[in-house]
Amino acid sequence: MQSLFADALAQLSRPENTHTLRDIHRGVERETLRITKQGRLAPTGHPKQLGSAFKHPLITTDYSEALMEFITPVANDISITMQQLEDIHAHAYRHLGDELLWPLSMPCFVGDESDIVIAQYGSSHSGRMKTLYRQGLTHRYGGAMQIIAGVHYNFSLPESVWKVLAEQQGEPLTQSFISLRYFHLIRNYKRVSWVIPYLFGASPAICKSFLQHTEDNIEFSEMGKGTVYRPYGTSLRMSDLGYTNKEQADLKITYNTLDEYVAGLRRAISTPSSRFSKIGVKVDGEYRQLNSNILQIENEFYSPIRPKRVTRAGETPTQALERGGVEYIEVRALDVNPFSPVGITAEQMRMLDVLLVYCALKPSPELSWDEQVLTDKNFNRVVMDGRNPRLTLLDQGYERPISDWLEEMFADFHEVATLLDKAHQATDFSLAVTAQYRSVLNPELTLSGQFMALLRDNKWDNSELGMKLAQQYKAQLTPAPLHYFTEHEFEKLRDASLSAQHELERQDASTSFDVFLQEYFRRAECKTPTCE
């Protein structure tokens, strides 16, 4: 098995092939809460000076009105992605008045759940549907989940890399081959995804006020008056406190083929849930959720990685995958990096590239549901106790020390980094792997370890550290010059987004929202958006 990995590395290392790895495409989606100077959720709506949260391509909102999301355009240079992200942040800060951006994944002080305002997208049918979907999430899982922030990393390998791998296997380069290899990548990612919360988990502690909004019985230690933590925790955001849906455990969605994955999602959006049916769909003339199925729509499926294709007008995500195959993958397990003013660093991106190329090249047998359950158990162990030097993980049915597994993986990571450095005629990828290897030798050098050290050494509550960083980053980025965008471009995007929302609302004003929803779900059951 290792020889297949070595063969793939050797093929891509050949002089005529090395350049193919220069064209990896990336994009970042960073979520962040707007907060007041007192560290509470901002009660204001999405700033109109930033444009329409519904139609703006770079600045939107996620689940709640206060949870902003900044989206970079696709780029093939990490330095450009960082410039884009910094510019978007700087532009946003200039229109927030006295408000700050919360720099942590888990929220600041959470009072009454009524303080959490669901994201608003206007009166068009599609805008109302987005808000109603979030209303359903509130009824299903509670409002507190709507204010947890993360970072999503979108990644795609160029066709030229897939061509080299197809030739190595003696197969023609087709979209079916590319899709199959993306699922190959995803399965390997599932096997080792625990390395992400180990290295980059940054939510080992949370504000105690959050616990009143959850029913989970996680055992915590206390620090000060307002903070609880796990002594060896890495990413409480990815625990049962955060982005999980226990109803989905019975779906048994697997990643062996595109057809298998799509069939699992379709089953979920069409299977009634006895639990969610008790909420009701339309009660006293008002919608509470889009439907009472296990998933209202496909986006409700919470997974640390997703296969994706850009959708066309009227398409659902699965229809886009069926039409064109997998175009890129979305890594969803990243906490916001509290030590970066934009939530992620260039070094993290390089490490993620190394991990994802490793997953693409390493042999990847099919992953049964039972095997996938074991990978999830490993992930959860690291989320809760990843910095424990005695921690073991399940490897082919046996308990294996995490340190031993990390050593083995980092040996392969160094080889992948050398390949990427050769492609870019630099040493940045090897330097990133070397820097992260220090966290293998000493778990307290991980992001979660650094975070806990700051709390302990300074006797700070979680909220104190969050506020200090929030103030620091606002002061740093508000006056920062733009490097990729211009203010004129941001103004054009703002005006265009507001006009697009207004025009859609005008078009929908005389038609029925009920009929719109019925038609949407009729089409969602089809394999193409145009089926009758």
Side-chain angles (χ1 to χ4, degrees):
M1 296 281 276
Q2 188 70 8
S3 64
L4 295 175
F5 176 64
D7 289 347
L9 285 172
Q11 285 296 320
L12 287 167
S13 294
R14 297 178 62 166
E16 64 270 26
N17 294 333
T18 303
H19 69 282
T20 61
L21 287 163
R22 293 179 199 157
D23 205 28
I24 291 174
H25 280 71
R26 311 163 187 85
V28 171
E29 302 166 29
R30 186 268 164 105
E31 298 162 355
T32 177
L33 278 171
R34 286 186 297 110
I35 61 169
T36 67
K37 291 189 296 183
Q38 293 73 38
R40 303 293 185 103
L41 294 177
T44 53
H46 184 72
K48 293 297 183 191
Q49 304 94 322
L50 296 178
S52 162
F54 183 32
K55 287 296 183 179
H56 200 293
L58 309 179
I59 302 171
T60 181
T61 52
D62 198 83
Y63 290 115
S64 67
E65 186 73 352
L67 185 57
M68 303 188 77
E69 183 172 357
F70 301 145
I71 304 167
T72 68
V74 176
N76 63 355
D77 185 318
I78 287 174
S79 64
I80 288 176
T81 298
M82 287 299 295
Q83 286 179 3
Q84 293 168 342
L85 202 53
E86 288 164 5
D87 284 2
I88 296 168
H89 278 74
H91 174 70
Y93 273 118
R94 290 166 192 163
H95 296 282
L96 291 183
D98 291 338
E99 292 176 353
L100 305 165
L101 295 178
W102 186 243
L104 311 181
S105 274
M106 296 302 283
C108 54
F109 179 82
V110 184
D112 193 275
E113 199 163 289
S114 62
D115 296 337
I116 304 169
V117 179
I118 295 168
Q120 303 296 305
Y121 298 104
S123 61
S124 69
H125 294 334
S126 48
R128 286 181 64 188
M129 182 178 172
K130 282 173 71 75
T131 297
L132 176 55
Y133 163 59
R134 287 152 174 78
Q135 180 72 56
L137 295 177
T138 301
H139 282 297
R140 289 172 174 225
Y141 316 115
M145 186 184 284
Q146 322 292 26
I147 54 173
I148 296 172
V151 174
H152 298 169
Y153 190 67
N154 299 316
F155 172 95
S156 68
L157 287 169
E159 187 174 291
S160 52
V161 169
W162 296 125
K163 183 179 180 182
V164 172
L165 297 178
E167 289 173 351
Q168 180 199 9
Q169 293 186 301
E171 296 188 26
L173 179 64
T174 62
Q175 181 56 52
S176 293
F177 174 85
I178 293 173
S179 293
L180 194 65
R181 288 302 296 243
Y182 270 120
F183 275 94
H184 169 129
L185 183 163
I186 289 170
R187 290 194 300 276
N188 274 339
Y189 174 90
K190 291 286 288 183
R191 292 181 173 103
V192 300
S193 60
W194 53 264
V195 78
I196 290 184
Y198 179 84
L199 295 174
F200 300 138
S203 52
I206 62 173
C207 292
K208 194 174 182 180
S209 62
F210 188 82
L211 295 182
Q212 66 184 310
H213 303 286
T214 178
E215 297 177 359
D216 291 286
N217 296 315
I218 295 175
E219 188 174 327
F220 288 110
S221 299
E222 294 196 22
M223 177 180 291
K225 295 180 180 179
T227 298
V228 295
Y229 68 101
R230 292 280 299 182
Y232 297 114
T234 63
S235 177
L236 293 176
R237 165 183 168 264
M238 296 301 296
S239 73
D240 285 346
L241 288 175
Y243 288 114
T244 58
N245 178 349
K246 293 170 183 175
E247 289 284 315
Q248 296 179 17
D250 295 331
L251 296 178
K252 299 186 177 180
I253 293 175
T254 51
Y255 300 88
N256 294 317
T257 66
L258 175 59
D259 289 344
E260 191 177 289
Y261 175 77
V262 167
L265 273 181
R266 278 228 172 89
R267 188 169 62 248
I269 62 173
S270 60
T271 301
S273 164
S274 58
R275 177 187 170 195
F276 297 150
S277 65
K278 296 174 184 176
I279 297 168
V281 175
K282 196 173 186 181
V283 179
D284 297 330
E286 295 291 330
Y287 280 101
R288 293 186 174 181
Q289 54 185 337
L290 290 173
N291 55 55
S292 58
N293 295 333
I294 294 175
L295 302 181
Q296 297 174 91
I297 56 176
E298 295 160 20
N299 289 348
E300 194 174 337
F301 178 53
Y302 300 130
S303 173
I305 190 167
R306 284 179 181 168
K308 303 280 291 262
R309 173 165 287 274
V310 175
T311 57
R312 294 175 179 171
E315 278 187 329
T316 65
T318 53
Q319 288 169 346
L321 287 172
E322 287 179 313
R323 168 180 56 79
V326 183
E327 184 178 8
Y328 65 99
I329 56 101
E330 178 188 38
V331 172
R332 299 165 53 81
L334 279 168
D335 281 357
V336 173
N337 184 341
F339 305 113
S340 164
V342 296
I344 191 171
T345 66
E347 182 181 288
Q348 280 182 282
M349 291 189 211
R350 293 188 183 99
M351 188 67 222
L352 288 168
D353 284 355
V354 169
L355 171 64
L356 295 170
V357 171
Y358 162 90
C359 290
L361 302 185
K362 199 80 171 172
S364 184
E366 288 196 351
L367 192 64
S368 70
W369 174 251
D370 288 341
E371 290 170 323
Q372 193 168 300
V373 168
L374 294 181
T375 69
D376 292 341
K377 286 182 178 178
N378 283 343
F379 189 89
N380 290 333
R381 285 186 187 183
V382 174
V383 160
M384 300 301 286
D385 295 300
R387 297 195 329 279
N388 186 340
R390 299 184 185 85
L391 182 67
T392 61
L393 302 178
L394 292 162
D395 183 15
Q396 298 180 350
Y398 295 94
E399 297 285 351
R400 181 180 186 184
I402 187 173
S403 56
D404 178 61
W405 202 337
L406 283 166
E407 288 282 356
E408 180 183 291
M409 288 172 61
F410 266 78
D412 288 339
F413 290 165
H414 278 291
E415 292 194 55
V416 173
T418 299
L419 175 64
L420 289 168
D421 280 341
K422 187 176 179 182
H424 290 84
Q425 297 181 321
T427 58
D428 293 340
F429 291 92
S430 291
L431 289 173
V433 171
T434 298
Q436 293 305 317
Y437 180 65
R438 298 188 187 103
S439 298
V440 175
L441 300 176
N442 180 2
E444 296 310 306
L445 296 178
T446 59
L447 290 187
S448 59
Q450 294 178 54
F451 189 87
M452 287 305 304
L454 277 175
L455 294 184
R456 283 193 304 265
D457 294 348
N458 294 284
K459 295 182 171 58
W460 286 336
D461 274 337
N462 198 62
S463 58
E464 288 180 276
L465 176 54
M467 286 303 294
K468 289 179 185 297
L469 292 173
Q471 291 159 354
Q472 174 187 326
Y473 296 151
K474 178 163 186 170
Q476 176 182 339
L477 285 179
T478 301
L482 302 182
H483 296 286
Y484 183 86
F485 299 103
T486 65
E487 285 296 347
H488 180 62
E489 287 173 321
F490 278 122
E491 289 169 4
K492 287 176 64 178
L493 289 171
R494 175 199 64 201
D495 295 344
S497 70
L498 291 169
S499 295
Q501 178 175 330
H502 177 75
E503 177 59 21
L504 193 57
E505 290 172 347
R506 186 191 65 78
Q507 293 173 7
D508 289 350
S510 59
T511 58
S512 165
F513 180 60
D514 288 351
V515 172
F516 168 83
L517 278 187
Q518 291 169 8
E519 178 62 14
Y520 175 88
F521 286 114
R522 185 192 69 80
R523 286 187 285 107
E525 294 175 0
C526 303
K527 289 195 172 183
T528 66
T530 57
C531 68
E532 298 297 332

